[in-house]
Every structure is written in structure tokens, then in C-alpha cells.
Amino acid sequence: MFGLPIAFASPWILLGLISLPIIWWLLRLTPPRPQEETFPPTRILARLQEKEETPAQSPWWLTLLRLLMAGLVIVAMAGPVLNPEESGLAGEGPVMIVIDDGWASAADWEVRRDTALSIIEEAQQAGRTIILESATNRESWNGLPMTAQEASALLQASEALPLPIAHQTTGARIRANATNIQPGQINWLSDGLERETTTELADRIAETSDNVVVYLPESAQLAIISDVRNDPSKLIGTVVRPDQNNALQLEILALDENNLALARTRVNLESQETSKEFVFDQPVELRNQFVRLEIGNSNSAGGVKLLDENNRRRLVGLISGETFDQSQPLLSPLYYISRALEPFSDIRRSGDANVTASVPDLVNQGVSVLILADVGTIPDKTVDALNSWIEKGGMLVRFAGPRLGGSPDSDLLPVEIRPGDRSLGGALSWETPKPLAAFDRESPFAGLEAPRDVLIRKQLLALQESELDKKTWSRLEDGTPLVTAERRGAGWVVLYHVGTDSDWSNLPLSGTFVEMLRRTVNLASSGKTGGESDKELVLPPLKVLDGKGLFTPPSDETKPLIIKAATKSSVSQENPPGFYGTEDGLRALNLFNDGTELTTLKMSALNSEFDQRAYIAGQEIAFKSWLLAVATLLLVADCLAVLWMSGAFRKGLAFTSKSAALIAGLALLPLAFAGAIDANAQETDFSAALETRLAYVVTGVDDVDRIPAALMRGLTRFISSRTALEPGEPVGLDVDVDELSFYSLIYWPVDPRAALPSNATMARIDAFMKQ
């Protein structure tokens, strides 16, 4: 009203304010009560010189006080309301509420829930049933009519889910249910974002009902973390937001496995700017400890990016069997390896060809992969040190060459090799260079295409053994091994049976070589969950995110994550975002992949015209009782003023008992109004005292609260069928607020995810048990 968030239940009563001038005129003509005096003659003689006059009208301040009191009463009776809800249900039949309850609604979920509850309350007053539809396909919101009490219990126990929205599925379910149940009005509580299938949902809603209301939020602060890459010198990520006209400043936090912030940076998005990169330039040793990136105060799973071994840069140590010649880098055995590894790993080189000195030096630098290019004999002391390092999780990768072929020491090789090399092609060989065979399904290289133009001219041959096939990751067309590997403890020993330069093959010149090295190195720190093979990899859920982006234990509905080669895992009801695997090796499942964009939902983009409203900004507050209380206080002040003018206080505190009783009675009136205000605020439901009802405690955990509700309904039906007692509908209780004494049986499902009751709540429960 007048641009203010105020409305009146009975605005016509405000016409009574017109009567204020009449009241003012009557008050001016009404003189105050004459002052009573005793009749002592001597006192009359003493006052003969005084001229006394009785006022003809009330003082101005008393008139103003009474006018204000009358005005407050008139305004109070009109029923003023602060933050009034935009109301008005159209049509007949059930009221459908469609809620976008995915990750984008988590930050202000309470506002959406309050809006839905207000719609349910209005439908209850009109005697209409409720249909709840979830855009994330909650099983408990099945799209069938339910009572207002059941819908309120479901909403109060629900939270936004860390899942994407499925508008197409929601629209199909609405169309299927509409054949049997025709809703009178549909209220679509949107999260303000447009998806590819949003128009399809809008079309299904328009087909189902002619009365549609769409609630749109303010999404000015909504932002997500899309892609992240760990470059050699810095970690770079991208924040994305919907198209907005305002500037936005965000703080990005990098946290470790103990949820401690290791670094932070800021991103400033200008007006109309929808994405921007952020940078963490800490040392690689510190960046490898990042397990979680999040937007500060985002309160949404979309503002969280989980990092696993695939986002970490491995420290790779390189050792060559010959001294590096800086004047001819192309002839170095490490040149092609370095070029292949640099995009996804950090390289540590040792300029000393003596492995006795270079191996301890690189191991002390914390490398997770050690590559030996054509290194022959290794001293026993260094062999023992390398074996211990491998057992603890290190990876040793060796490449063939003349030195290794001349001294094939089997201690640090996955297979025994035949001395010398096998030459394919040339004047002294009957065989021609061999191409690569297709990669096996169980190989970490599965899914790569074996290029026909890559030819092997020399190789080291492996001696036959029973486990050779299991140890072979790649082979030539004639079946001889190209790459073999063996698991030792928590680490690996890998042998490439070709050299690192173009003398033995042209494999180092191909893109396949880069991908083979990447997959090999990625096994270093996550051997139990690494290896991208076509064989299904089943990872149990370790910890998952809730709608607000906080870690929670997986629920009973969360299933193991199944990973296949060349297939990207996606978030679903069964697999919410989080970590899957074990503490020794885990995989991160995130909401968004690279290149994600957010688009603001515009009503003009929909094919139908809907009534648009805003979400309830705050709770509706009726202050009728407060105005009446203030009017009562003014009445007390008026009475005191009249008593003072009539001389009741002339003798100090020794005024009459009748006046004292009047003042005491008037003083109790504000307390009565305060009691009415308090009773109105609490809105205690006494209906349970009139009917026997079973009850259950609402824990706030969505998957837990569905069970006791169904259990109590089933128990109620069983009691009705087997006994003369006919209990009413079960009710969900909030043990912190609701009165417990009305119920003889309360079922409380205890769950570790629920909030711990306060001391006051425990005292109420203790009193209930004792009584």
C-alpha cells in the first residue's frame, strides 16, 4: 500500500478515520469533570482574593492524546499486515506446487519453503488438496493429491538437493498425472535459471491448467565453479554466473582434506560479465593438497569443486643413462619424454648420470614417478632404496636402450628380458617394422586408438612366463610386449620395451605416446582407482555433498559409482556429488563439467503467458494486537491525566482506594493484550487435545522423515481395523516448539545427521516421559 509492504485485512474500516474531526470537536465542547472541594469556611475566607475559573474545554494535549488513541483503534480494527503475501487461489480442485529444488535453490531454500507453506495454508483454508511436484524427482513427492498437513510435513522436513534439475521428466509426469487429476491452479516455484528443457516443462504446465503462477527469485549472487586445470606454474579455474546487470565480487577458497583454508583469491565480475578465471599460484607441493575449491558464502553445492588425483600434478623425476648435451637437446634420451609430460606434470631432472647420487636426490624432492631412460646396471644399495620407495607407493618407469639391453637386471623390471635387442627391419633382418596392436580392455590404455603409422624398429624381448599376459599393457601386432608392468606393494614397476628417441621407433613422435605416458603417470598416486579401462570400476561412496555444499555421510539411497572408460560419470539421485572410493584412492564427482553456462529464465522465452510473482521476502506480520496494546497504554495515560486534573494526586500518594483500584485495573490491560499477542505468535495447535493422534518427530533429514510418516499412518489404520479406537491423522512434531503432552505415543527416529537437541528441549522431553 502506497509503495510500502503493508496491507489491511479490512481496509474499509479506515474510513472511520474521517470521524476524527468530529471526535475532536466533541472533545473541545466537553469540559473536564468539576473539581470537588470540602467546605471549610476558614479556607474559603483565605481564598477570597483568588479568582477561580472552570475551564470550558479539555487541554489541547489531552485532546491530542484521545484523538491518537481513537486513530490507533480504527487502524488496528482494519487489520494491518507487514510483508503481506500476494494471495488469491484461482480455479477449483487441487493446488499443484512445482518446486525447482536443485542446487540453485539451496542458498535461499527457506524463502522458497515459506512461500510454498503459505500457498498450502491458503489452500487449506479453502478446503483444497495439495499436489507436490519435485523438479529433482523426489520419490516422496509423487504428484498425487495429499492433505495440507501431509504436504506441510514433507516441506518442513525437506532441504534443497545437490542435484541438477530434470524439467523434461517433471513435465512428462505432470502430463501423465493430469489425465486422472486436473489441478485448479499450478504454482511453479522456479530457481530463476533456464535449461534446455525448461520450455518443455512450461508447455506441459500450460496444457494442464489455465491458472499458472510463476515465482522468480533474485539470482544476483548465484555463481558456480565450472572447470579447473592445474598448469605447471598455477591452478586456474573459472567461475560462471547468469547474465546480470550488477557487478559481483567473489572470494574463492582452497581447502585441504581437513577443511582448512590453504589459500584464497578474489574474482571481480563486471556488469554483464558471465564468467571469469581465478588463479592460485602457490607452489605445486601446496596445490597438490587442495581437495576442495569453494566460493565463500555461496551456500550451494554449485559453488564447490572437488579435486582428486586427476587434478593434481605429479612430480616426475627424470634420469638418463647418458649426460645431457645442452647443445643438442633433440638427441637427449629425455627430450621427448619431457615434452610429453610437461603439460600435466612437474618435471624434476638430475644432471648426474650416476644413479647412486641422482635417485636419492629426486626421492628426497618428493617425486611420485621416477623415469629411467636407458639406465643399465644399478648398484645394490640403490636397488634396495628404490624397492622400499616403490613399496610405499612410488612408480618406477624404465625405457629400453643399449645399456639396459646389455645388463638386463631383473630386480627392477616387471618381467625378465632377453639380453640384447630385437631389430625389425634393415639389411640384416628378415622382419619388417611392426605396428601396434589394439589395446586390451583391461589395459590402462584401453579406449586409445592404436595408430597404424607408428612402427617399432627395435625392442627388448620379454622371456615367456605364466604371468606375462597379465603384466602386458600393450603389445605389437605379432604379440610381443611393448609395455609391461607389475604391481609391487602400493607402487608400480613399468617397462617400455622401446627407447625414448626416434632410433628405436617413431612412437615418441606421436600423440599416442603423450596419452600413454599421461595414463601411466596418473596411476602413481591412485592405483586402486586409476586405470581407465573398459572394465567397470565400482567405487563405494565415501562422503557426499548436501544442497548447501557441506560434506555429509552417504545415505542409504546412495549407490556405488560405476566408472567406465570413455564415459563421463554424471550426478544423479543415486550418485550425488562427492568423493567415491576409499581413503587410499578416491574419485571426485562434481555437478558441472567444463564449459557449463548459466542462463537467466526470462518470461518472454516461454511460449505461454503466466502470472509472475516474487518470493515472500519475509514472514507476514500482523500488528493489530500491538496497535491495540499501544491504544490501551494511551487509555491508561488518559485516565491518569483525568485523575490528576480531578485532584486525586493533590495529596501525594494518599489518594482514594477507588482511584488506586482503577489504576491497577487499567495497568493490567496491556498485560492482557501482551498475552493475546504472545498466544497469536505461538499459534499453538490445540486440536490434538480433542482427538487421539499418533505423532512422530521430524528430524529434518529427508530420507529419514519419510519412514516414520508412513509407519504412523500404517499403525493408525491397523489400530482402527483391530480396535474400537479410531485415531486421527498422524502429525509430525518439532520437539523444540510443539506441545508434547497431547500425544500418548511419539515415535522418534534417531539419526546421526540430525541436529543435536538443546538442553531446553531435553528438559521438555524429560518432563514428557515423567508424566
Side-chain angles (χ1 to χ4, degrees):
M1 183 177 183
F2 307 114
L4 300 175
I6 299 177
F8 293 91
S10 304
W12 293 104
I13 296 180
L14 295 177
L15 294 176
L17 295 175
I18 301 176
S19 64
L20 290 181
I22 301 175
I23 297 175
W24 172 79
W25 181 71
L26 291 175
L27 291 176
R28 283 182 56 86
L29 295 180
T30 304
R33 179 184 177 187
Q35 180 176 325
E36 296 182 0
E37 293 284 354
T38 57
F39 187 68
T42 55
R43 190 165 183 80
I44 293 177
L45 294 175
R47 298 174 58 186
L48 285 177
Q49 301 300 323
E50 297 183 3
K51 181 180 180 181
E52 291 198 23
E53 295 181 356
T54 300
Q57 58 187 17
S58 300
W60 68 267
W61 53 269
L62 186 60
T63 302
L64 179 61
L65 181 69
R66 292 173 176 175
L67 288 175
L68 180 60
M69 181 171 54
L72 288 176
V73 171
I74 294 173
V75 174
M77 298 309 295
V81 177
L82 183 64
N83 296 323
E85 302 172 4
E86 192 173 357
S87 61
L89 292 179
E92 297 180 355
V95 177
M96 178 181 290
I97 302 177
V98 183
I99 305 181
D100 287 347
D101 54 344
W103 63 269
S105 300
D108 52 356
W109 175 249
E110 291 75 14
V111 176
R112 286 164 169 76
R113 183 165 53 192
D114 291 342
T115 302
L117 290 174
S118 68
I119 297 173
I120 292 174
E121 182 180 358
E122 189 174 358
Q124 183 181 17
Q125 295 173 357
R128 300 168 67 172
T129 56
I130 303 297
I131 298 176
L132 289 180
E133 283 287 358
S134 164
T136 59
N137 301 319
R138 298 177 192 247
E139 293 183 1
S140 58
W141 299 13
N142 52 15
L144 300 178
M146 63 182 71
T147 64
Q149 293 84 357
E150 292 174 336
S152 296
L154 283 176
L155 275 172
Q156 289 172 352
S158 65
E159 295 290 342
L161 299 178
L163 302 175
I165 294 298
H167 279 162
Q168 183 178 15
T169 305
T170 306
R173 189 169 59 250
I174 291 175
R175 168 184 272 184
N177 293 335
T179 57
N180 301 320
I181 304 168
Q182 190 71 25
Q185 177 173 315
I186 298 180
N187 299 274
W188 179 12
L189 277 60
S190 171
D191 59 10
L193 296 180
E194 180 180 353
R195 283 91 176 174
E196 294 180 357
T197 57
T198 298
T199 55
E200 185 173 344
L201 172 62
D203 293 340
R204 300 293 84 77
I205 290 177
E207 294 172 359
T208 306
S209 176
D210 295 330
N211 304 306
V212 180
V213 179
V214 180
Y215 291 83
L216 292 179
E218 292 288 340
S219 57
Q221 301 297 321
L222 186 64
I224 65 169
I225 299 179
S226 176
D227 55 317
V228 173
R229 68 179 188 274
N230 207 349
D231 287 348
S233 59
K234 54 192 174 183
L235 184 145
I236 303 175
T238 304
V239 292
V240 179
R241 69 162 178 171
D243 46 311
Q244 296 290 334
N245 295 325
N246 64 302
L248 181 63
Q249 185 180 72
L250 300 174
E251 183 180 46
I252 313 298
L253 303 177
L255 299 95
D256 64 1
E257 59 184 6
N258 297 319
N259 209 35
L260 298 177
L262 300 180
R264 65 185 66 210
T265 186
R266 292 188 179 275
V267 178
N268 295 317
L269 290 162
E270 303 297 334
S271 178
Q272 300 294 337
E273 194 173 16
T274 58
S275 65
K276 198 165 189 177
E277 290 186 344
F278 60 87
V279 174
F280 287 102
D281 55 1
Q282 284 71 23
V284 64
E285 291 82 3
L286 185 61
R287 283 186 277 127
N288 280 346
Q289 297 182 38
F290 296 171
V291 299
R292 172 188 174 106
L293 303 179
E294 67 176 34
I295 300 175
N297 300 323
S298 67
N299 293 324
S300 167
V304 176
K305 187 76 170 182
L306 302 178
L307 307 178
D308 56 15
E309 294 294 336
N310 294 324
N311 301 105
R312 294 180 182 138
R313 298 184 64 84
R314 273 65 170 184
L315 290 177
V316 180
L318 302 182
I319 300 177
S320 173
E322 63 182 54
T323 305
F324 174 60
D325 187 359
Q326 295 185 356
S327 63
Q328 295 181 322
L330 293 177
L331 300 180
S332 169
L334 302 177
Y335 176 77
Y336 294 106
I337 295 179
S338 301
R339 295 293 299 273
L341 291 174
E342 282 175 350
F344 54 87
S345 303
D346 282 279
I347 307 300
R348 301 289 188 269
R349 291 184 175 86
S350 177
D352 195 340
N354 184 1
V355 293
T356 305
S358 58
V359 167
D361 177 44
L362 293 175
V363 170
N364 291 334
Q365 294 185 41
V367 296
S368 55
V369 181
L370 196 58
I371 296 181
L372 305 183
D374 191 22
V375 174
T377 303
I378 301 177
D380 294 340
K381 182 178 180 181
T382 305
V383 170
D384 294 339
L386 282 174
N387 278 324
S388 175
W389 175 74
I390 294 170
E391 291 284 339
K392 296 177 181 178
M395 171 178 279
L396 178 65
V397 181
R398 303 190 68 176
F399 280 85
R403 295 176 181 81
L404 181 59
S407 55
D409 190 351
S410 61
D411 286 343
L412 292 175
L413 293 175
V415 296
E416 291 189 40
I417 61 174
R418 185 178 300 171
D421 58 71
R422 174 195 183 193
S423 180
L424 303 172
L428 301 180
S429 174
W430 292 95
E431 299 183 271
T432 59
K434 304 294 183 184
L436 276 62
F439 298 108
D440 296 336
R441 293 171 58 89
E442 287 75 21
S443 169
F445 308 142
L448 294 179
E449 183 179 356
R452 302 301 299 176
D453 57 345
V454 171
L455 300 176
I456 306 301
R457 293 185 291 272
K458 286 184 180 182
Q459 71 173 138
L460 294 181
L461 286 175
L463 296 178
Q464 289 296 324
E465 58 176 279
S466 59
E467 300 291 327
L468 183 59
D469 285 342
K470 295 181 179 179
K471 295 180 179 180
T472 302
W473 284 359
S474 175
R475 52 175 51 90
L476 301 184
E477 196 175 50
D478 61 359
T480 55
L482 176 66
V483 181
T484 55
E486 181 184 26
R487 191 68 187 266
R488 294 187 183 177
W492 288 92
V493 177
V494 183
L495 172 63
Y496 280 72
H497 292 245
V498 294
T500 60
D501 53 26
S502 57
D503 291 341
W504 287 53
S505 71
N506 61 347
L507 177 63
L509 306 179
S510 68
T512 304
F513 182 69
V514 176
E515 185 61 23
M516 291 173 67
L517 274 182
R518 186 189 71 83
R519 296 194 180 190
T520 300
V521 168
N522 280 349
L523 290 174
S525 299
S526 57
K528 293 184 180 180
T529 61
E532 303 180 21
S533 65
D534 282 346
K535 184 178 179 180
E536 288 186 353
L537 189 63
V538 181
L539 304 178
L542 184 61
K543 51 185 177 180
V544 297
L545 296 177
D546 63 8
K548 293 187 178 296
L550 303 176
F551 279 123
T552 60
S555 66
D556 296 337
E557 297 178 354
T558 305
K559 296 184 177 180
L561 180 65
I562 300 177
I563 299 177
K564 294 183 179 180
T567 302
K568 288 187 176 181
S569 303
S570 58
V571 171
S572 64
Q573 285 274 6
E574 299 176 346
N575 298 123
F579 284 123
Y580 292 79
T582 64
E583 294 290 351
D584 297 330
L586 48 84
R587 181 69 61 89
L589 181 63
N590 288 291
L591 264 171
F592 305 105
N593 298 316
D594 298 352
T596 301
E597 295 182 356
L598 300 180
T599 305
T600 302
L601 176 61
K602 297 179 176 61
M603 298 299 294
S604 58
L606 304 180
N607 299 326
S608 305
E609 294 185 3
F610 299 144
D611 182 15
Q612 180 180 342
R613 296 180 186 174
Y615 282 99
I616 298 174
Q619 288 289 345
E620 186 178 79
I621 301 175
F623 48 95
K624 172 182 178 180
S625 301
W626 294 102
L627 294 179
L628 291 177
V630 174
T632 305
L633 291 175
L634 295 180
L635 176 60
V636 173
D638 181 88
C639 293
L640 293 175
V642 171
L643 291 174
W644 175 74
M645 294 177 61
S646 63
F649 300 109
R650 184 174 295 276
K651 297 180 180 180
L653 296 178
F655 52 89
T656 64
S657 60
K658 184 184 293 186
S659 301
L662 177 61
I663 295 173
L666 293 174
L668 292 177
L669 282 176
L671 298 180
F673 277 103
I677 295 169
D678 184 64
N680 184 59
Q682 292 182 0
E683 295 183 354
T684 303
D685 183 12
F686 294 99
S687 62
L690 306 177
E691 185 179 20
T692 301
R693 304 169 74 179
L694 305 182
Y696 60 92
V697 176
V698 177
T699 64
V701 182
D702 187 44
D703 57 324
V704 173
D705 289 333
R706 292 197 302 269
I707 300 174
L711 177 65
M712 291 294 101
R713 283 195 295 268
L715 184 57
T716 299
R717 297 191 189 102
F718 181 82
I719 294 174
S720 300
S721 63
R722 294 301 183 95
T723 68
L725 177 64
E726 294 185 1
E729 280 294 318
V731 60
L733 298 179
D734 184 349
V735 291
D736 294 329
V737 178
D738 293 333
E739 178 58 48
L740 307 180
S741 60
F742 296 145
Y743 308 97
S744 58
L745 175 62
I746 300 177
Y747 176 64
W748 190 343
V750 179
D751 190 273
R753 292 171 290 175
L756 191 66
S758 63
N759 293 333
T761 301
M762 295 303 296
R764 297 177 73 245
I765 297 170
D766 183 61
F768 169 77
M769 297 297 294
K770 290 178 179 179
Q771 296 170 5

